[in-house]
Amino acid sequence: RRPRARAFRVAYSHPRDGRAPPHSESKPARGVIERGPPVMNAAVTNNNTNNTAPLARRVSGGAARRVAAVTRGAPCRATSMPGIPTTKLKDLKNCIEAQQFDAEMLKELFVVADAMAEVKPGSPESRMLQGFNMATLFYEPSTRTRLSFEGAMGKLGGGILSTESAGEYSSAAKGETLEDTIRTVEGYADIIVLRHFSAGAARRAANAADTPVINAGDGPGQHPTQALLDTYTIYNELGRLENLKIGLVGDLANGRTVRSLASMMTNFSDVSFYFIAPDVVKMGQDIKDELDEKGIEWEESEDLLGVASEVDVLYQTRIQKERFGDRLDEYEACRGIYTVDAAVMDAMRRDAVVMHPLPRLDEIATEVDSDPRAAYFRQARNGLYVRMALLKVLLKV
């Protein structure tokens, strides 16, 4: 059995009077998530009532689940919703890159995500973003990211202005600049979620906008909300974010998910990486330099079975054909070299997990899906809760 996940100890200020519950006697080391008993020691304040209730994590069927402790006889409701953040999360204006987040901000955001997992239709929490509009501008195809953002806004009562294939069906097809598009759209929306094919596009959009901008992936650059949900998933599955060995497999040159995750995990102690990739899609030197600068150990390897036997997390990615242009011979040479199948699962430890940002092609065999260590569909579901939490934080609700 996988070890029981532990809840964060986080104190929140009350949204009205700013008072925080007393802290625990011991303070965790920087970059280490303090694991307490299964029920949180610090109660989280509800925006709508003076009552407080603890949050808990449980392990069921090999995966950590979030549950709320409900007072006997109390009205049926979601869970106690955190109030105003006390970390630098309260000053977050945009979500552009993984490097914006530190360990304390992540801990606080994940407590909010736990609460979001318990929001019920018709509860006061399900109306917290009523009156707000979110615009999703996607210049590249997306299923999980776009739908999870729109689902997140809908579950919290907000409005959704959506455009898919914006490069083809928006005024960009007429030659409108990204900056002009953003300045126009922010007149209709309170927050903008942007996916673009060019690295750095989200930063350009944020510089042009007064409303918050969320980077939903900018070409081969960054995908910070994927890194947030990946980090949240690792914590849910393993019960910790320190003392981890992580194997990143596949297209590490173009995979914005693995780049962002590597950066985000530098916030935690005793984390090391293995990079397993074909020569033409090896991890970029900028990420290696960042890891070196922060004292994070990394190693390149061609031995997938050997790495699988060592790691706590095996994070597989697809080879991204769309990034190769007319170099299809290189794509075909890369595809299929590293596949997670029954043999790889046999080599892995019983308490390790396999993750994938999806979509997958043939880099994870379907026979793996029934293994309780296959976390990728739970990972996708976690994206809804994390994005609900991020919308709440950025809209200052």
Side-chain angles (χ1 to χ4, degrees):
R1 292 179 60 185
R2 197 162 292 123
R4 180 186 294 263
R6 302 296 187 181
F8 299 125
R9 289 180 181 143
V10 177
Y12 282 89
S13 66
H14 192 284
R16 286 191 292 270
D17 60 18
R19 293 195 298 272
H23 294 280
S24 59
E25 292 80 9
S26 59
K27 185 178 181 181
R30 182 179 183 275
V32 176
I33 282 189
E34 183 182 17
R35 296 194 300 278
V39 177
M40 288 182 63
N41 283 359
V44 181
T45 304
N46 191 295
N47 277 332
N48 303 298
T49 179
N50 291 326
N51 296 329
T52 58
L55 297 179
R57 292 179 186 267
R58 304 270 172 83
V59 174
S60 174
R65 309 295 188 193
R66 294 140 305 275
V67 295
V70 180
T71 303
R72 183 183 299 272
C76 182
R77 56 181 301 108
T79 188
S80 293
M81 185 61 62
I84 299 170
T86 60
T87 68
K88 289 188 288 185
L89 205 59
K90 68 180 183 297
D91 301 319
L92 191 68
K93 184 180 184 300
N94 303 292
C95 179
I96 304 301
E97 58 186 9
Q99 290 86 345
Q100 290 177 260
F101 296 87
D102 61 27
E104 294 302 315
M105 294 168 71
L106 293 172
K107 286 191 289 184
E108 193 162 31
L109 184 69
F110 293 167
V111 173
V112 182
D114 278 346
M116 291 299 181
E118 302 303 324
V119 170
K120 303 297 191 294
S123 67
E125 291 84 0
S126 72
R127 298 186 292 273
M128 69 169 61
L129 296 186
Q130 191 170 10
F132 289 94
N133 281 335
M134 176 188 71
T136 53
L137 286 174
F138 278 62
Y139 290 77
E140 284 190 322
S142 172
T143 301
R144 277 150 297 278
T145 302
R146 184 171 67 87
L147 291 182
S148 65
F149 266 115
E150 293 177 0
M153 193 66 173
K155 284 182 74 69
L156 296 176
I160 300 160
L161 311 175
S162 182
T163 176
E164 191 176 12
S165 302
E168 183 178 356
Y169 296 113
S170 75
S171 291
K174 305 175 183 177
E176 184 175 56
T177 66
L178 175 63
E179 287 80 0
D180 282 0
T181 298
I182 294 297
R183 291 186 184 105
T184 300
V185 170
E186 72 172 340
Y188 316 136
D190 303 285
I191 190 165
I192 298 171
V193 181
L194 173 70
R195 170 167 287 187
H196 203 276
F197 48 80
S198 297
R203 175 64 64 189
R204 289 168 49 202
N207 289 339
D210 292 323
T211 59
V213 172
I214 299 176
N215 181 3
D218 59 346
Q222 286 252 0
H223 198 343
T225 66
Q226 181 71 43
L228 290 171
L229 75 90
D230 289 344
T231 306
Y232 181 65
T233 298
I234 292 171
Y235 180 75
N236 269 359
E237 296 291 326
L238 301 180
R240 69 186 192 278
L241 286 171
E242 71 281 355
N243 188 27
L244 291 172
K245 294 181 179 179
I246 302 173
L248 303 180
V249 188
D251 192 341
L252 306 188
N254 300 306
R256 56 199 175 202
T257 61
V258 287
R259 292 169 53 83
S260 293
L261 179 61
S263 293
M264 189 161 286
M265 289 303 297
T266 62
N267 286 297
F268 304 101
S269 61
D270 299 321
V271 174
S272 58
F273 290 95
Y274 293 92
F275 300 146
I276 307 100
D279 284 340
V280 297
V281 286
K282 287 186 177 297
M283 180 61 80
Q285 190 60 46
D286 60 331
I287 298 297
K288 295 175 182 177
D289 290 343
E290 180 182 355
L291 298 180
D292 287 340
E293 180 181 342
K294 296 183 177 179
I296 304 296
E297 294 183 1
W298 58 270
E299 174 184 333
E300 292 186 314
S301 174
E302 299 178 352
D303 182 8
L304 178 57
L305 281 175
V307 169
S309 68
E310 293 288 330
V311 296
D312 303 288
V313 178
L314 191 66
Y315 192 109
Q316 174 71 291
T317 64
R318 70 182 175 91
I319 304 298
Q320 298 186 22
K321 183 178 181 180
E322 64 271 25
R323 308 297 180 198
F324 282 79
D326 58 1
R327 298 177 291 116
L328 294 183
D329 54 336
E330 292 185 7
Y331 167 74
E332 293 297 338
C334 289
R335 182 179 174 183
I337 293 180
Y338 297 112
T339 301
V340 176
D341 54 17
V344 173
M345 299 304 291
D346 287 343
M348 290 179 63
R349 299 202 314 267
R350 293 180 63 84
D351 61 347
V353 293
V354 176
M355 296 173 61
H356 192 303
L358 302 176
R360 69 169 165 188
L361 300 180
D362 53 5
E363 62 275 0
I364 297 181
T366 55
E367 64 188 4
V368 174
D369 294 355
S370 59
D371 192 303
R373 296 170 294 178
Y376 29 89
F377 293 115
R378 299 191 293 271
Q379 176 184 355
R381 184 175 62 241
N382 287 337
L384 176 66
Y385 310 139
V386 168
R387 287 165 176 143
M388 289 169 72
L390 187 62
L391 290 173
K392 177 186 185 300
V393 166
L394 287 175
L395 290 171
K396 313 300 181 187
V397 178

PDB file of all heavy atoms in Angstrom, residues 17-43:
ATOM      1  N   ASP A  17     -10.898  40.256   9.592  1.00  0.00           N
ATOM      2  CA  ASP A  17     -10.121  40.946  10.616  1.00  0.00           C
ATOM      3  C   ASP A  17      -8.617  40.703  10.502  1.00  0.00           C
ATOM      4  O   ASP A  17      -7.860  41.282  11.267  1.00  0.00           O
ATOM      5  CB  ASP A  17     -10.595  40.541  12.022  1.00  0.00           C
ATOM      6  CG  ASP A  17     -10.447  39.041  12.276  1.00  0.00           C
ATOM      7  OD1 ASP A  17      -9.705  38.380  11.547  1.00  0.00           O
ATOM      8  OD2 ASP A  17     -11.083  38.566  13.220  1.00  0.00           O
ATOM      9  N   GLY A  18      -8.187  39.830   9.539  1.00  0.00           N
ATOM     10  CA  GLY A  18      -6.759  39.665   9.311  1.00  0.00           C
ATOM     11  C   GLY A  18      -6.055  38.842  10.358  1.00  0.00           C
ATOM     12  O   GLY A  18      -4.845  38.680  10.310  1.00  0.00           O
ATOM     13  N   ARG A  19      -6.771  38.317  11.372  1.00  0.00           N
ATOM     14  CA  ARG A  19      -6.098  37.540  12.408  1.00  0.00           C
ATOM     15  C   ARG A  19      -5.846  36.133  11.915  1.00  0.00           C
ATOM     16  O   ARG A  19      -6.684  35.535  11.250  1.00  0.00           O
ATOM     17  CB  ARG A  19      -6.940  37.498  13.685  1.00  0.00           C
ATOM     18  CG  ARG A  19      -7.069  38.834  14.368  1.00  0.00           C
ATOM     19  CD  ARG A  19      -7.593  38.638  15.791  1.00  0.00           C
ATOM     20  NE  ARG A  19      -8.910  38.037  15.806  1.00  0.00           N
ATOM     21  CZ  ARG A  19     -10.047  38.726  15.755  1.00  0.00           C
ATOM     22  NH1 ARG A  19     -10.008  40.041  15.665  1.00  0.00           N
ATOM     23  NH2 ARG A  19     -11.223  38.112  15.792  1.00  0.00           N
ATOM     24  N   ALA A  20      -4.682  35.588  12.241  1.00  0.00           N
ATOM     25  CA  ALA A  20      -4.340  34.231  11.836  1.00  0.00           C
ATOM     26  C   ALA A  20      -4.356  33.321  13.040  1.00  0.00           C
ATOM     27  O   ALA A  20      -4.018  33.738  14.147  1.00  0.00           O
ATOM     28  CB  ALA A  20      -2.939  34.207  11.206  1.00  0.00           C
ATOM     29  N   PRO A  21      -4.773  32.062  12.870  1.00  0.00           N
ATOM     30  CA  PRO A  21      -4.682  31.108  13.966  1.00  0.00           C
ATOM     31  C   PRO A  21      -3.233  30.929  14.381  1.00  0.00           C
ATOM     32  O   PRO A  21      -2.324  31.170  13.590  1.00  0.00           O
ATOM     33  CB  PRO A  21      -5.243  29.816  13.350  1.00  0.00           C
ATOM     34  CG  PRO A  21      -5.997  30.247  12.134  1.00  0.00           C
ATOM     35  CD  PRO A  21      -5.333  31.500  11.668  1.00  0.00           C
ATOM     36  N   PRO A  22      -2.974  30.528  15.617  1.00  0.00           N
ATOM     37  CA  PRO A  22      -1.594  30.355  16.062  1.00  0.00           C
ATOM     38  C   PRO A  22      -0.878  29.297  15.254  1.00  0.00           C
ATOM     39  O   PRO A  22      -1.470  28.300  14.858  1.00  0.00           O
ATOM     40  CB  PRO A  22      -1.747  29.913  17.528  1.00  0.00           C
ATOM     41  CG  PRO A  22      -3.151  29.443  17.653  1.00  0.00           C
ATOM     42  CD  PRO A  22      -3.954  30.192  16.652  1.00  0.00           C
ATOM     43  N   HIS A  23       0.411  29.534  15.004  1.00  0.00           N
ATOM     44  CA  HIS A  23       1.218  28.582  14.266  1.00  0.00           C
ATOM     45  C   HIS A  23       1.629  27.440  15.188  1.00  0.00           C
ATOM     46  O   HIS A  23       1.640  27.558  16.401  1.00  0.00           O
ATOM     47  CB  HIS A  23       2.484  29.254  13.714  1.00  0.00           C
ATOM     48  CG  HIS A  23       2.173  30.281  12.685  1.00  0.00           C
ATOM     49  ND1 HIS A  23       1.893  29.974  11.384  1.00  0.00           N
ATOM     50  CD2 HIS A  23       2.073  31.635  12.768  1.00  0.00           C
ATOM     51  CE1 HIS A  23       1.658  31.064  10.691  1.00  0.00           C
ATOM     52  NE2 HIS A  23       1.766  32.095  11.509  1.00  0.00           N
ATOM     53  N   SER A  24       2.008  26.327  14.567  1.00  0.00           N
ATOM     54  CA  SER A  24       2.529  25.210  15.348  1.00  0.00           C
ATOM     55  C   SER A  24       3.881  25.591  15.929  1.00  0.00           C
ATOM     56  O   SER A  24       4.542  26.513  15.473  1.00  0.00           O
ATOM     57  CB  SER A  24       2.667  23.974  14.465  1.00  0.00           C
ATOM     58  OG  SER A  24       3.524  24.236  13.381  1.00  0.00           O
ATOM     59  N   GLU A  25       4.306  24.829  16.937  1.00  0.00           N
ATOM     60  CA  GLU A  25       5.532  25.183  17.652  1.00  0.00           C
ATOM     61  C   GLU A  25       6.765  25.111  16.763  1.00  0.00           C
ATOM     62  O   GLU A  25       7.684  25.910  16.866  1.00  0.00           O
ATOM     63  CB  GLU A  25       5.713  24.243  18.860  1.00  0.00           C
ATOM     64  CG  GLU A  25       4.675  24.425  19.964  1.00  0.00           C
ATOM     65  CD  GLU A  25       3.388  23.729  19.616  1.00  0.00           C
ATOM     66  OE1 GLU A  25       3.366  22.986  18.616  1.00  0.00           O
ATOM     67  OE2 GLU A  25       2.399  23.930  20.344  1.00  0.00           O
ATOM     68  N   SER A  26       6.816  24.114  15.891  1.00  0.00           N
ATOM     69  CA  SER A  26       8.005  23.943  15.061  1.00  0.00           C
ATOM     70  C   SER A  26       7.744  24.467  13.664  1.00  0.00           C
ATOM     71  O   SER A  26       6.659  24.315  13.121  1.00  0.00           O
ATOM     72  CB  SER A  26       8.391  22.462  14.990  1.00  0.00           C
ATOM     73  OG  SER A  26       7.324  21.722  14.458  1.00  0.00           O
ATOM     74  N   LYS A  27       8.752  25.035  13.072  1.00  0.00           N
ATOM     75  CA  LYS A  27       8.641  25.597  11.741  1.00  0.00           C
ATOM     76  C   LYS A  27       9.424  24.717  10.778  1.00  0.00           C
ATOM     77  O   LYS A  27      10.576  24.398  11.032  1.00  0.00           O
ATOM     78  CB  LYS A  27       9.208  27.021  11.720  1.00  0.00           C
ATOM     79  CG  LYS A  27       9.026  27.731  10.368  1.00  0.00           C
ATOM     80  CD  LYS A  27       9.558  29.133  10.461  1.00  0.00           C
ATOM     81  CE  LYS A  27       9.373  29.872   9.134  1.00  0.00           C
ATOM     82  NZ  LYS A  27       9.897  31.225   9.185  1.00  0.00           N
ATOM     83  N   PRO A  28       8.811  24.299   9.648  1.00  0.00           N
ATOM     84  CA  PRO A  28       9.533  23.418   8.747  1.00  0.00           C
ATOM     85  C   PRO A  28      10.679  24.140   8.061  1.00  0.00           C
ATOM     86  O   PRO A  28      10.666  25.356   7.900  1.00  0.00           O
ATOM     87  CB  PRO A  28       8.444  23.019   7.726  1.00  0.00           C
ATOM     88  CG  PRO A  28       7.461  24.149   7.772  1.00  0.00           C
ATOM     89  CD  PRO A  28       7.479  24.637   9.196  1.00  0.00           C
ATOM     90  N   ALA A  29      11.680  23.353   7.640  1.00  0.00           N
ATOM     91  CA  ALA A  29      12.808  23.925   6.911  1.00  0.00           C
ATOM     92  C   ALA A  29      12.320  24.495   5.599  1.00  0.00           C
ATOM     93  O   ALA A  29      11.320  24.051   5.035  1.00  0.00           O
ATOM     94  CB  ALA A  29      13.863  22.840   6.658  1.00  0.00           C
ATOM     95  N   ARG A  30      13.013  25.458   5.093  1.00  0.00           N
ATOM     96  CA  ARG A  30      12.621  26.124   3.850  1.00  0.00           C
ATOM     97  C   ARG A  30      12.596  25.091   2.722  1.00  0.00           C
ATOM     98  O   ARG A  30      13.500  24.301   2.542  1.00  0.00           O
ATOM     99  CB  ARG A  30      13.627  27.232   3.523  1.00  0.00           C
ATOM    100  CG  ARG A  30      13.257  28.011   2.259  1.00  0.00           C
ATOM    101  CD  ARG A  30      14.281  29.088   2.010  1.00  0.00           C
ATOM    102  NE  ARG A  30      13.918  29.886   0.854  1.00  0.00           N
ATOM    103  CZ  ARG A  30      14.221  29.544  -0.392  1.00  0.00           C
ATOM    104  NH1 ARG A  30      14.865  28.444  -0.627  1.00  0.00           N
ATOM    105  NH2 ARG A  30      13.867  30.328  -1.402  1.00  0.00           N
ATOM    106  N   GLY A  31      11.498  25.147   1.954  1.00  0.00           N
ATOM    107  CA  GLY A  31      11.380  24.253   0.833  1.00  0.00           C
ATOM    108  C   GLY A  31      10.910  22.863   1.188  1.00  0.00           C
ATOM    109  O   GLY A  31      10.869  21.989   0.348  1.00  0.00           O
ATOM    110  N   VAL A  32      10.552  22.625   2.448  1.00  0.00           N
ATOM    111  CA  VAL A  32      10.080  21.312   2.859  1.00  0.00           C
ATOM    112  C   VAL A  32       8.622  21.435   3.268  1.00  0.00           C
ATOM    113  O   VAL A  32       8.264  22.300   4.057  1.00  0.00           O
ATOM    114  CB  VAL A  32      10.908  20.744   4.031  1.00  0.00           C
ATOM    115  CG1 VAL A  32      10.330  19.414   4.496  1.00  0.00           C
ATOM    116  CG2 VAL A  32      12.358  20.583   3.621  1.00  0.00           C
ATOM    117  N   ILE A  33       7.780  20.581   2.730  1.00  0.00           N
ATOM    118  CA  ILE A  33       6.384  20.581   3.145  1.00  0.00           C
ATOM    119  C   ILE A  33       6.277  19.819   4.442  1.00  0.00           C
ATOM    120  O   ILE A  33       6.695  18.681   4.545  1.00  0.00           O
ATOM    121  CB  ILE A  33       5.496  19.948   2.063  1.00  0.00           C
ATOM    122  CG1 ILE A  33       5.294  20.973   0.951  1.00  0.00           C
ATOM    123  CG2 ILE A  33       4.162  19.503   2.632  1.00  0.00           C
ATOM    124  CD1 ILE A  33       4.294  20.582  -0.064  1.00  0.00           C
ATOM    125  N   GLU A  34       5.742  20.481   5.460  1.00  0.00           N
ATOM    126  CA  GLU A  34       5.593  19.868   6.765  1.00  0.00           C
ATOM    127  C   GLU A  34       4.391  18.945   6.741  1.00  0.00           C
ATOM    128  O   GLU A  34       3.302  19.331   6.343  1.00  0.00           O
ATOM    129  CB  GLU A  34       5.377  20.957   7.816  1.00  0.00           C
ATOM    130  CG  GLU A  34       5.279  20.410   9.225  1.00  0.00           C
ATOM    131  CD  GLU A  34       5.027  21.523  10.208  1.00  0.00           C
ATOM    132  OE1 GLU A  34       4.626  22.604   9.780  1.00  0.00           O
ATOM    133  OE2 GLU A  34       5.228  21.294  11.398  1.00  0.00           O
ATOM    134  N   ARG A  35       4.578  17.700   7.126  1.00  0.00           N
ATOM    135  CA  ARG A  35       3.502  16.741   7.139  1.00  0.00           C
ATOM    136  C   ARG A  35       2.993  16.576   8.555  1.00  0.00           C
ATOM    137  O   ARG A  35       3.736  16.260   9.468  1.00  0.00           O
ATOM    138  CB  ARG A  35       3.968  15.396   6.578  1.00  0.00           C
ATOM    139  CG  ARG A  35       4.380  15.482   5.120  1.00  0.00           C
ATOM    140  CD  ARG A  35       4.505  14.102   4.534  1.00  0.00           C
ATOM    141  NE  ARG A  35       5.489  13.303   5.225  1.00  0.00           N
ATOM    142  CZ  ARG A  35       6.788  13.350   5.004  1.00  0.00           C
ATOM    143  NH1 ARG A  35       7.240  14.185   4.115  1.00  0.00           N
ATOM    144  NH2 ARG A  35       7.629  12.563   5.652  1.00  0.00           N
ATOM    145  N   GLY A  36       1.728  16.804   8.732  1.00  0.00           N
ATOM    146  CA  GLY A  36       1.122  16.679  10.036  1.00  0.00           C
ATOM    147  C   GLY A  36       0.265  15.436  10.103  1.00  0.00           C
ATOM    148  O   GLY A  36       0.376  14.550   9.267  1.00  0.00           O
ATOM    149  N   PRO A  37      -0.615  15.363  11.092  1.00  0.00           N
ATOM    150  CA  PRO A  37      -1.539  14.244  11.167  1.00  0.00           C
ATOM    151  C   PRO A  37      -2.514  14.305  10.011  1.00  0.00           C
ATOM    152  O   PRO A  37      -2.610  15.307   9.312  1.00  0.00           O
ATOM    153  CB  PRO A  37      -2.238  14.469  12.512  1.00  0.00           C
ATOM    154  CG  PRO A  37      -2.088  15.930  12.772  1.00  0.00           C
ATOM    155  CD  PRO A  37      -0.792  16.329  12.173  1.00  0.00           C
ATOM    156  N   PRO A  38      -3.265  13.214   9.761  1.00  0.00           N
ATOM    157  CA  PRO A  38      -4.144  13.186   8.598  1.00  0.00           C
ATOM    158  C   PRO A  38      -5.158  14.324   8.547  1.00  0.00           C
ATOM    159  O   PRO A  38      -5.640  14.661   7.502  1.00  0.00           O
ATOM    160  CB  PRO A  38      -4.854  11.828   8.730  1.00  0.00           C
ATOM    161  CG  PRO A  38      -3.874  10.995   9.499  1.00  0.00           C
ATOM    162  CD  PRO A  38      -3.203  11.947  10.456  1.00  0.00           C
ATOM    163  N   VAL A  39      -5.522  14.913   9.685  1.00  0.00           N
ATOM    164  CA  VAL A  39      -6.419  16.071   9.680  1.00  0.00           C
ATOM    165  C   VAL A  39      -5.615  17.314   9.977  1.00  0.00           C
ATOM    166  O   VAL A  39      -4.734  17.308  10.830  1.00  0.00           O
ATOM    167  CB  VAL A  39      -7.531  15.893  10.731  1.00  0.00           C
ATOM    168  CG1 VAL A  39      -8.423  17.123  10.772  1.00  0.00           C
ATOM    169  CG2 VAL A  39      -8.368  14.656  10.395  1.00  0.00           C
ATOM    170  N   MET A  40      -5.883  18.410   9.255  1.00  0.00           N
ATOM    171  CA  MET A  40      -5.094  19.619   9.416  1.00  0.00           C
ATOM    172  C   MET A  40      -5.171  20.143  10.839  1.00  0.00           C
ATOM    173  O   MET A  40      -6.226  20.167  11.460  1.00  0.00           O
ATOM    174  CB  MET A  40      -5.587  20.702   8.460  1.00  0.00           C
ATOM    175  CG  MET A  40      -5.245  20.433   7.014  1.00  0.00           C
ATOM    176  SD  MET A  40      -5.821  21.771   6.001  1.00  0.00           S
ATOM    177  CE  MET A  40      -4.848  23.110   6.652  1.00  0.00           C
ATOM    178  N   ASN A  41      -4.014  20.582  11.362  1.00  0.00           N
ATOM    179  CA  ASN A  41      -3.980  21.197  12.685  1.00  0.00           C
ATOM    180  C   ASN A  41      -4.548  22.606  12.655  1.00  0.00           C
ATOM    181  O   ASN A  41      -5.193  23.058  13.582  1.00  0.00           O
ATOM    182  CB  ASN A  41      -2.540  21.242  13.195  1.00  0.00           C
ATOM    183  CG  ASN A  41      -2.095  19.887  13.698  1.00  0.00           C
ATOM    184  OD1 ASN A  41      -2.875  18.933  13.684  1.00  0.00           O
ATOM    185  ND2 ASN A  41      -0.860  19.784  14.122  1.00  0.00           N
ATOM    186  N   ALA A  42      -4.261  23.317  11.571  1.00  0.00           N
ATOM    187  CA  ALA A  42      -4.742  24.704  11.454  1.00  0.00           C
ATOM    188  C   ALA A  42      -6.043  24.699  10.684  1.00  0.00           C
ATOM    189  O   ALA A  42      -6.101  24.272   9.553  1.00  0.00           O
ATOM    190  CB  ALA A  42      -3.700  25.571  10.745  1.00  0.00           C
ATOM    191  N   ALA A  43      -7.091  25.188  11.300  1.00  0.00           N
ATOM    192  CA  ALA A  43      -8.386  25.236  10.622  1.00  0.00           C
ATOM    193  C   ALA A  43      -8.351  26.291   9.541  1.00  0.00           C
ATOM    194  O   ALA A  43      -7.659  27.291   9.648  1.00  0.00           O
ATOM    195  CB  ALA A  43      -9.486  25.551  11.631  1.00  0.00           C
TER     196      ALA A  43
END
